[in-house]
């Protein structure tokens, strides 16, 4: 829709919001990210979209500041769903018991399994419904956190589950056989096609409709 606020404007809003959070000491300043070069751009985008990177439009692998006495959610790898739009299950733990040695996440975060074969099996999800809205879990996760609802997390999830992202990621795996992992650089800095926020929501709504149709067809079989 040509009437949508262009993604370039959205990017500027996110940039200013991150600068404000850094100034207030709520997040750390990002390391400088290399600009996307022409050779990295896989295809042409609509005029009001913008190529960017997840590290430029949110927080990567953030940490939670939570009181030790709080009850929180714990999610091991076996509870990370591989299918789209599946309910998330979790264990209940005291925050003091899981704050060290595990990956932190919170409601609204998008998580991606980084180890094989979980990565190829598309184990990724948007986190919702955590105890006190916070949790921790398997160390084999990359985490993306939107800033102030300026990015639709379900749209990011669709990107992470896309064949293009998975197939390109397989070629970037590092480590020994059986223990290969998706490097943080690929997760955080791979070219990300950013639509206007309104378009993100329309895309997610359409996918939800199509996935519901797929479920109905499967049930009929």
């Amino acid at each position: 829709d040509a009437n949508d606020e262009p993604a370039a404007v959205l990017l500027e809003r996110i940039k200013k919001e991150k600068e404000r959070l850094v100034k207030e000491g709520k997040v750390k300043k990002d390391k400088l990210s290399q600009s996307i070069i022409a050779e990295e751009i896989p295809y042409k985008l609509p005029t009001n979209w913008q190529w960017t990177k997840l590290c430029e439009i949110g927080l990567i692998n953030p940490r939670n500041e939570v009181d030790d006495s709080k009850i929180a959610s714990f999610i091991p790898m076996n509870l990370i769903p591989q299918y789209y739009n599946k309910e998330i299950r979790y264990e209940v733990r005291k925050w003091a018991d899981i704050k060290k040695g595990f990956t932190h996440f919170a409601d609204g975060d998008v998580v991606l399994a980084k180890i094989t074969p979980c990565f190829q099996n598309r184990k990724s999800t948007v986190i919702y419904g955590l105890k006190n809205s916070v949790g921790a879990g398997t160390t084999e996760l990359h985490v993306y956190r939107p800033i102030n609802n300026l990015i639709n997390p379900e749209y990011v999830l669709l990107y992470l589950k896309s064949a293009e992202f998975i197939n390109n990621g397989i070629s970037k795996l590092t480590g020994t056989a059986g223990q290969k992992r998706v490097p943080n650089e690929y997760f955080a800095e791979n070219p990300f096609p950013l639509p206007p926020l309104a378009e993100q929501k329309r895309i997610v709504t359409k996918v939800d409709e199509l996935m519901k149709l797929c479920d109905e067809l499967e049930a009929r079989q």
Side-chain angles (χ1 to χ4, degrees):
D1 187 339
N3 295 316
D4 286 342
E5 176 188 78
V9 177
L10 176 59
L11 276 173
E12 192 60 31
R13 288 166 59 199
I14 294 171
K15 180 181 177 182
K16 289 180 179 179
E17 187 62 17
K18 288 183 79 172
E19 289 173 350
R20 182 185 68 81
L21 293 173
V22 169
K23 190 174 182 180
E24 293 177 358
K26 294 180 179 179
V27 302
K28 293 182 179 179
K29 189 174 182 179
D30 290 335
K31 66 176 184 178
L32 289 176
S33 175
Q34 297 292 323
S35 299
I36 298 173
I37 59 176
E39 290 76 12
E40 293 178 312
I41 297 175
Y43 47 83
K44 186 177 179 180
L45 293 176
T47 54
N48 57 358
W49 290 39
Q50 190 85 21
W51 283 111
T52 183
K53 303 174 182 180
L54 286 183
C55 62
E56 294 178 347
I57 57 171
L59 307 178
I60 303 297
N61 300 324
R63 303 292 289 177
N64 297 330
E65 296 295 332
V66 183
D67 188 273
D68 283 356
S69 62
K70 287 271 190 182
I71 296 299
S73 297
F74 183 80
I75 306 180
M77 181 62 80
N78 66 298
L79 296 185
I80 300 291
Q82 68 184 88
Y83 298 108
Y84 180 72
N85 211 16
K86 295 298 180 182
E87 183 179 356
I88 302 169
R89 295 177 294 128
Y90 55 79
E91 302 166 6
V92 177
R93 305 266 187 95
K94 185 181 289 187
W95 182 250
D97 297 333
I98 59 175
K99 71 175 184 178
K100 293 182 179 179
F102 296 104
T103 302
H104 289 195
F105 39 73
D107 280 349
D109 288 356
V110 188
V111 300
L112 169 78
K114 62 184 178 183
I115 193 168
T116 59
C118 299
F119 171 70
Q120 292 95 319
N121 292 338
R122 290 178 166 82
K123 272 186 167 281
S124 53
T125 192
V126 179
I127 299 289
Y128 286 121
L130 300 177
K131 290 289 183 181
N132 290 310
S133 299
V134 295
T138 170
T139 58
E140 301 293 353
L141 292 176
H142 287 308
V143 181
Y144 164 79
R145 179 172 295 173
I147 295 175
N148 289 356
N149 299 314
L150 293 174
I151 297 292
N152 188 310
E154 279 83 9
Y155 174 75
V156 174
L157 180 64
L158 293 178
Y159 158 80
L160 296 179
K161 287 189 181 291
S162 68
E164 180 185 30
F165 179 81
I166 297 293
N167 292 336
N168 288 343
I170 290 172
S171 68
K172 309 285 187 183
L173 294 174
T174 59
T176 57
Q179 288 287 298
K180 291 192 172 184
R181 293 175 174 83
V182 178
N184 188 64
E185 290 74 19
Y186 178 70
F187 175 73
E189 300 189 25
N190 190 61
F192 177 84
L194 179 67
L197 185 56
E199 180 77 352
Q200 295 174 40
K201 294 175 181 177
R202 287 195 292 268
I203 290 170
V204 170
T205 298
K206 176 57 69 175
V207 172
D208 287 345
E209 291 173 359
L210 295 172
M211 295 303 290
K212 184 178 179 182
L213 177 59
C214 288
D215 290 341
E216 291 174 357
L217 292 171
E218 188 175 346
R220 290 181 193 176
Q221 290 181 346

